[in-house]
Amino acid sequence: EMKKLLLALLFFPTLAFANPIDDKCPQHVKWGAPEPVVKENIQYLCRTGYAVAYSTVYKNPLYVAEHVSKDRIGEEPRTEDFRPDPEIKPEHQSTLQDYNGAGYDRGHMSPAANNGANKQAMSESFLLSNMVPQNPGNNRGIWKQLEVFVRNWVVSGADLYVIQGSIYDNGYKTIGTNKVAVPTRLFKVIIDPTNKKMVAFIFPNEKLEVKDLPKYVVSVQQVEQETKLDFSPMIPGDLKILEHNDPDKTQWTGLH
């Protein structure tokens, strides 16, 4: 058996180092979980509605990946049970205390409204490992509008894979005694595999005009450059071009 295993490792070296999301909850991604260039200090978490690559340095999710389909949206009311993630060691956690009076929202990455299928999914969306310190004018404005657009596209028949997360430029601030990093920018990558199209966004973590949403559209490749993440490591070669192309805003209702 050992011989077989060694042979397998010899011929499939990538299998030995697969991203834990691909191993444990591959349903949340389409073409493999995003691969960080720097692989240290990351804890991977599988949830009912999404998967997280959590940075133990920034004490925030680097990214949260989810498959947004009609059956996930559901009618479950918000639980509002914001809490630290018990799966993360206390020294790497963000806590409610850190956010207290800091002037930032506990900004959901996978939105509560995408997790309305059942109580467990909804409750899990309130774990702080799914949150970043977000400017209230961003979280409650342009970011919320984009979340609404995603759900509208899904309700209108799209089947989407969404990855959202945080970017930390030099001079980023921290909040609380645990020194939770405040992202300088936020990103969202939206993949529609059925219709072979993608759209991505990078926003400064500040109050922005909702009507300016289309101005923040970028290519997936641009997000890869800014985040040092490889978004769809298993994407078929003939679709790779989708990551490089500038998105066609006219293909996405509300962006033009």
Side-chain angles (χ1 to χ4, degrees):
E1 279 304 304
M2 196 61 188
K3 218 174 192 176
K4 271 187 199 160
L5 182 65
L6 287 172
L7 273 173
L9 291 181
L10 208 61
F11 291 107
F12 304 105
T14 49
L15 289 183
F17 307 103
N19 190 312
I21 294 169
D22 295 329
D23 292 339
K24 298 192 175 108
C25 50
Q27 69 272 24
H28 300 311
V29 291
K30 177 63 182 172
W31 294 304
E35 274 297 338
V37 170
V38 180
K39 302 203 184 324
E40 292 82 50
N41 307 311
I42 299 175
Q43 183 175 350
Y44 292 94
L45 304 158
C46 285
R47 300 288 181 237
T48 308
Y50 59 89
V52 183
Y54 183 87
S55 165
T56 57
V57 175
Y58 298 122
K59 298 177 178 160
N60 286 324
L62 280 183
Y63 70 75
V64 174
E66 55 182 338
H67 177 198
V68 189
S69 53
K70 272 187 198 164
D71 59 346
R72 258 197 69 213
I73 295 170
E75 297 295 316
E76 205 57 55
R78 284 171 67 100
T79 50
E80 303 291 344
D81 52 344
F82 290 96
R83 62 202 186 278
D85 192 323
E87 277 191 50
I88 294 166
K89 286 182 180 160
E91 63 268 28
H92 298 147
Q93 279 178 358
S94 62
T95 66
L96 298 176
Q97 201 57 45
D98 293 318
Y99 281 90
N100 227 349
Y104 292 92
D105 279 0
R106 297 163 296 200
H108 280 73
M109 290 294 94
S110 173
N114 287 12
N115 288 278
N118 57 60
K119 274 198 174 60
Q120 183 179 341
M122 177 58 76
S123 178
E124 284 174 355
S125 79
F126 285 89
L127 289 164
L128 291 181
S129 53
N130 181 41
M131 314 268 159
V132 301
Q134 196 167 1
N135 179 300
N138 185 291
N139 182 38
R140 302 171 198 184
I142 204 164
W143 189 256
K144 184 180 180 181
Q145 179 60 66
L146 183 50
E147 292 173 343
V148 168
F149 278 161
V150 167
R151 284 191 294 278
N152 287 348
W153 296 331
V154 168
V155 169
S156 305
D159 187 49
L160 302 177
Y161 289 83
V162 182
I163 304 146
Q164 48 258 309
S166 48
I167 302 171
Y168 304 87
D169 297 299
N170 289 342
Y172 68 84
K173 300 188 187 88
T174 63
I175 57 168
T177 49
N178 291 314
K179 297 203 168 6
V180 180
V182 178
T184 48
R185 293 179 289 163
L186 301 158
F187 71 84
K188 204 180 275 272
V189 168
I190 300 161
I191 300 167
D192 179 343
T194 315
N195 298 304
K196 297 187 170 51
K197 58 181 189 175
M198 296 181 187
V199 66
F201 301 81
I202 297 177
F203 302 108
N205 188 9
E206 57 196 53
K207 185 175 181 181
L208 302 170
E209 292 291 329
V210 176
K211 65 173 170 48
D212 288 343
L213 183 62
K215 290 185 188 171
Y216 297 97
V217 168
V218 294
S219 68
V220 173
Q221 187 181 30
Q222 201 170 328
V223 185
E224 290 188 327
Q225 286 162 352
E226 300 291 330
T227 58
K228 306 284 184 282
L229 290 169
D230 177 10
F231 276 93
S232 294
M234 300 176 201
I235 192 169
D238 60 326
L239 296 182
K240 195 86 185 137
I241 190 80
L242 294 176
E243 298 186 323
H244 298 260
N245 289 346
D246 281 328
D248 177 358
K249 293 177 203 173
T250 62
Q251 295 185 347
W252 301 88
T253 311
L255 290 188
H256 51 91

